[in-house]
Structure formats: C-alpha cells, structure tokens
Amino acid sequence: MQIYRRVARHDLDQGARRALARHIRGLAEQGVHDPGRLTVCGLSYLRKLDRQRGRERS
C-alpha cells in the first residue's frame, strides 16, 4: 500500500482495501505465494480499480 500511495498520490479507502485483500487472498488460494508477484498483482489490481472508479465519476 505504501508503493501505491507514492505512485497514485492518494490513500486507499476502506472499500478498496477490502477488495485488495480479497484479491490477494484469491491469488494465494490459487497457489501464488511469491511476495514480489503478489505485490505486482496487487498494484495492477489497484490501478484497474482506479480506472473503473474514474469512469464512474465521469
């Protein structure tokens, strides 16, 4: 979340935090356990959420 905060220049709201936790848990259940891979997947997921929320606001 610190990496995301620096790149996106804003914090995550509670909904985004919960969605990220579910996403990471799902990846772990699928067998992804490498911390680096989980970080990259989590950041990609957050960027996708940002884009979706940006469209909803437009």
Side-chain angles (χ1 to χ4, degrees):
M1 285 187 240
Q2 292 173 355
I3 295 169
Y4 175 78
R5 199 175 302 132
R6 276 186 243 140
V7 172
R9 299 178 187 205
H10 62 85
D11 285 327
L12 296 173
D13 62 28
Q14 282 301 108
R17 287 176 184 259
R18 278 190 232 111
L20 176 61
R22 277 192 305 270
H23 182 70
I24 297 295
R25 233 183 343 266
L27 292 171
E29 289 171 0
Q30 293 173 23
V32 180
H33 299 289
D34 176 62
R37 183 73 181 140
L38 290 170
T39 299
V40 170
C41 290
L43 290 169
S44 296
Y45 180 75
L46 290 172
R47 190 169 70 185
K48 177 182 165 187
L49 280 181
D50 267 352
R51 277 190 250 124
Q52 288 175 346
R53 289 179 177 184
R55 282 189 216 123
E56 290 172 2
R57 291 180 186 139
S58 298

